Amino acid sequence: MDVSRRSFLRAALATGTVAVVPIELLVRAAAVSAASGAHYFTAHEYATCDAICSRILPSDASPGAAEARAVDFVDLFLAAFEVPATIADNPAIYLHGRFSGRNPYPNNQTGTPSTTFPPDQMQSNPPTGQRHFIGLNASEQLAWRLQLYGPSVITGDTSLPQAYRDAVAGNTIPVPAKGLRDLYRDGLAAFDSYAQQLGQADFATSPAPLQDGMLIMAGNPVFANVPVPLPVIGAPQAAKDLYPAVVINTFQGSFGLPEYGSKGGPSMWAWLGWDGDTQPLGNSIYDINLVDAQLGPNQGHNSGFGDPAVYVPRGGYREYREVSTNGGASPVPLTLADLLTFVPRH
């Protein structure tokens, strides 16, 4: 069965967080990896989550979630407040910037990429893997801890007003009933239990079509015209609860910046047709010597010294995405040779 990767992406993202994913878009082969330096997951949980991610965004001629190591993004996010300083200099929530060092500065004298790159401000020490994150204020810390750890970070915090804690405990102020960490821990265990009810050792080592069937039962209420046999036992509630989050996190890990813990980045962006983090080069380069395409002969500036015959070019943009001219003056396209004058850094 040959299904377009882009069709899969459109189908999955179009459904939002509930992600109703057709079975024919899930039937893909993917490898299950063992944990290596996981921060939150146990080795077994890591393998289970990796298997789920690998079925949500399968591999074919283009890389999928397995190659992007989406599971590593999930693992780092869930451990955001607990990773050692050698991994992250602040809670692993918002990356420090501005630039990754993958793209050079533009050369406005030539309208082409320069050979000068900014320093990598996100991950300055790749051998040790330390990533630079922005420090969080008290409100941000509370909000992200609530998302990861659940309502106990409020109800159990005696520094907060008792009335506020009571309102959260009584659901007068609605908050998620379970943090993402427990959602994953319970949900991954539920997928294993589901597989065992179907005669398998666990989810990660189950046959791919059966994995797809379990994911369908957990996340898709529509079972008409399914091309493979489905499990006869309904998915556990914890597996259903996890499904929306793991779908979103799989795409975030696969197509987000690799500094957030994955190995995605340029290899994933290429087949998607996305440039990724283009700064400081950007999508268009100003060329100071380029005559504005809308001007006719002798319609430019004069020199400023009273001689209208002396032409001084206005300058213009060379671009491979029409963003700076916004439908106005016709841009001068950058050629492939222009764009290949630098090698993006990974």
Side-chain angles (χ1 to χ4, degrees), residues 34-50 70-84 87 92 144-150 152 178-189 242 245-246 249 260-261:
S36 177
H39 305 295
Y40 174 69
F41 290 139
T42 66
H44 186 79
E45 289 170 338
Y46 182 97
T48 305
C49 186
D50 187 27
V71 63
D72 290 337
F73 162 83
V74 178
D75 178 67
L76 181 64
F77 175 45
L78 295 177
F81 289 92
E82 300 177 2
V83 290
I87 302 299
W144 282 106
R145 285 183 178 275
L146 173 62
Q147 181 172 337
L148 289 171
Y149 294 91
S152 63
K178 184 182 291 188
L180 275 173
R181 288 161 58 95
D182 288 341
L183 195 72
Y184 266 92
R185 182 136 287 160
D186 296 344
L188 295 177
L242 174 62
V246 73
N249 293 158
Y260 278 108

Side-chain angles (χ1 to χ4, degrees), residues 27 35 38 52 76 78 93 115 174 176 212 231 242 273 322:
V27 181
I52 292 173
L76 181 64
L78 295 177
I93 298 296
T115 57
D212 294 334
L242 174 62
E322 190 175 337

Side-chain angles (χ1 to χ4, degrees), residues 25 39 41 60 69 93 109 112 117 120 181 190 206 226 229 292 296 301 324 328:
L25 297 176
H39 305 295
F41 290 139
D60 54 16
R69 308 310 306 142
I93 298 296
Q109 302 299 315
T112 59
F117 287 77
D120 179 354
R181 288 161 58 95
S206 297
V226 176
D292 191 312
H301 295 274
S324 293

Side-chain angles (χ1 to χ4, degrees), residues 26-269:
L26 283 167
V27 181
R28 296 288 189 214
V32 175
S33 300
S36 177
H39 305 295
Y40 174 69
F41 290 139
T42 66
H44 186 79
E45 289 170 338
Y46 182 97
T48 305
C49 186
D50 187 27
I52 292 173
C53 294
S54 298
R55 303 308 300 163
I56 290 170
L57 186 61
S59 309
D60 54 16
S62 299
E67 290 81 7
R69 308 310 306 142
V71 63
D72 290 337
F73 162 83
V74 178
D75 178 67
L76 181 64
F77 175 45
L78 295 177
F81 289 92
E82 300 177 2
V83 290
T86 54
I87 302 299
D89 56 357
N90 278 300
I93 298 296
Y94 299 122
L95 273 175
H96 189 277
R98 296 177 290 168
F99 305 131
S100 67
R102 277 184 282 272
N103 293 286
Y105 291 104
N107 184 338
N108 299 134
Q109 302 299 315
T110 63
T112 59
S114 73
T115 57
T116 303
F117 287 77
D120 179 354
Q121 296 167 313
M122 296 180 183
Q123 185 177 350
S124 62
N125 193 0
T128 65
Q130 187 189 49
R131 293 167 169 83
H132 300 305
F133 291 85
I134 299 172
L136 304 177
N137 61 35
S139 296
E140 291 169 334
Q141 287 230 19
L142 182 63
W144 282 106
R145 285 183 178 275
L146 173 62
Q147 181 172 337
L148 289 171
Y149 294 91
S152 63
V153 302
I154 293 177
T155 58
D157 187 348
T158 57
S159 69
L160 296 173
Q162 185 65 49
Y164 177 51
R165 295 163 57 197
D166 291 344
V168 170
N171 206 37
T172 303
I173 298 177
V175 298
K178 184 182 291 188
L180 275 173
R181 288 161 58 95
D182 288 341
L183 195 72
Y184 266 92
R185 182 136 287 160
D186 296 344
L188 295 177
F191 272 108
D192 274 340
S193 174
Y194 195 13
Q196 289 162 7
Q197 292 180 63
L198 300 169
Q200 306 298 313
D202 52 35
F203 182 90
T205 59
S206 297
L210 190 58
Q211 290 179 338
D212 294 334
M214 286 185 275
L215 287 169
I216 288 293
M217 293 295 286
N220 194 330
V222 182
F223 303 119
N225 301 316
V226 176
V228 296
L230 282 175
V232 294
I233 303 173
Q237 186 60 49
K240 295 178 182 178
D241 293 341
L242 174 62
Y243 184 82
V246 73
V247 168
I248 294 299
N249 293 158
T250 295
F251 287 120
Q252 290 172 331
S254 296
F255 298 109
L257 294 174
E259 287 80 7
Y260 278 108
S262 73
K263 291 182 173 60
S267 63
M268 296 297 293
W269 302 336

